[in-house]
Amino acid sequence: MDFGWTPAQRAVHDRMRALGAEADAAAPDDRMRVLARGGALGLPIARDLGGEGLDLVTTALAYEGLGAALRDGGVLLAAGAHLFGVALLLARVGTPAQQRAWLPRMATGDCMATVAATEAGAGSDVASVQATADRAASGYRLTGEKRYVTWADRADVYFAIARDGGEGRAGGAPARGLTALLVPRAGAGGADAEGARAGAGGADAAGARAGAEGADAARIRPGAPLATAGLRGARLAPVSFSGCEVGPDALLGRAGAGLAVFQIAMTYERALILAFRLGAMERALGAAVRFARERAIGGQAIARHQAVAHRLAQMKLRLETSRLLVYRAAWELDQGHRGQAEAALAKWHTADSAVQFALDDLQLRGGAGYLEESGLPSAVDDALGGSIHSGTSDVLATIVARWLGA
């Protein structure tokens, strides 16, 4: 077992850390473009599909580097939803045509993707979604209201989960299992568009031209970004799908197998979505140690007080245990294992650790830490968001318990 990094992996980390610093210095609306230009949105995507072909352990290290320098956790969350929640899923279950159509543009950020699963009555229990995907002559007709969609108003394609209604649910027939769809905004194209560009003929070409136009923009209505307590750069918002028609090429996996497809997406996302938090905690710990050494009470640095020293030691413990769990989960997925429990453990522990880490960091500074200008209250709000998205801590604990057979 080797816990070291190769020179090539360290170079990726350092490059992404420099990119994070560049994005941090940019205006908030420009940060995602900086990440895209620097290659952060395509690191694990295959080289022949426009990415760098990195393994997931190295990708996690790269995002740790980004988090060490870029303080906008919301943008990093949105980048993670795009890459880990959708692009890696496409690489795993997408058809060759779907991969050729979408992944090269996702790798460059020319096409931004996001997950649209949560609804008013279906958050942790995604199996309860009420959005429907009725069969139509053109493929599927999607209708439903999604909530808390990351990067909602700027996404080019949505990975949506809906209940398969069959052939228009004639006679009020009940909806069947869940189906996973890639739903493009108008003009975003898709696998059928790839077929059109490749010169498909006859009826296939007509379907391809229809698919190339993407979904009707008027039938996809993102709402205004929500006033979240933290992670505002993620631009969470509702999205309404009103009879949005997509071609058969929009189907991910098999019809009715959407829950299994969604679980694969969430495994990738849970394993890797908080890798950037490792860098953020490392950065915060360094600043906390410097503060404790420089801040004196009674002529003695507060770092010499056992209570303060122990708080710093506990922060280090949370960082290192989170790091081990994140890289273990990434390694499991690199080996082709299911990795559901390992991903749940990584996300659960890292999210909870980040919350306590942020609270410790604030309390260490006393009243000064409670001022907005310190940035620490915002860090607490950001960390709290991490304990909710991609599965709450309670949901993740349930996954681990089931894995144990409890």
Side-chain angles (χ1 to χ4, degrees), residues 190-212:
D192 280 350
E194 177 70 17
R197 287 190 292 269
D204 286 342
R209 285 190 296 272

Side-chain angles (χ1 to χ4, degrees), residues 362-378:
L362 188 154
Q363 290 174 329
L364 184 67
R365 289 162 170 80
Y370 197 56
L371 300 178
E372 286 288 352
E373 65 188 34
S374 72
L376 297 177
S378 295

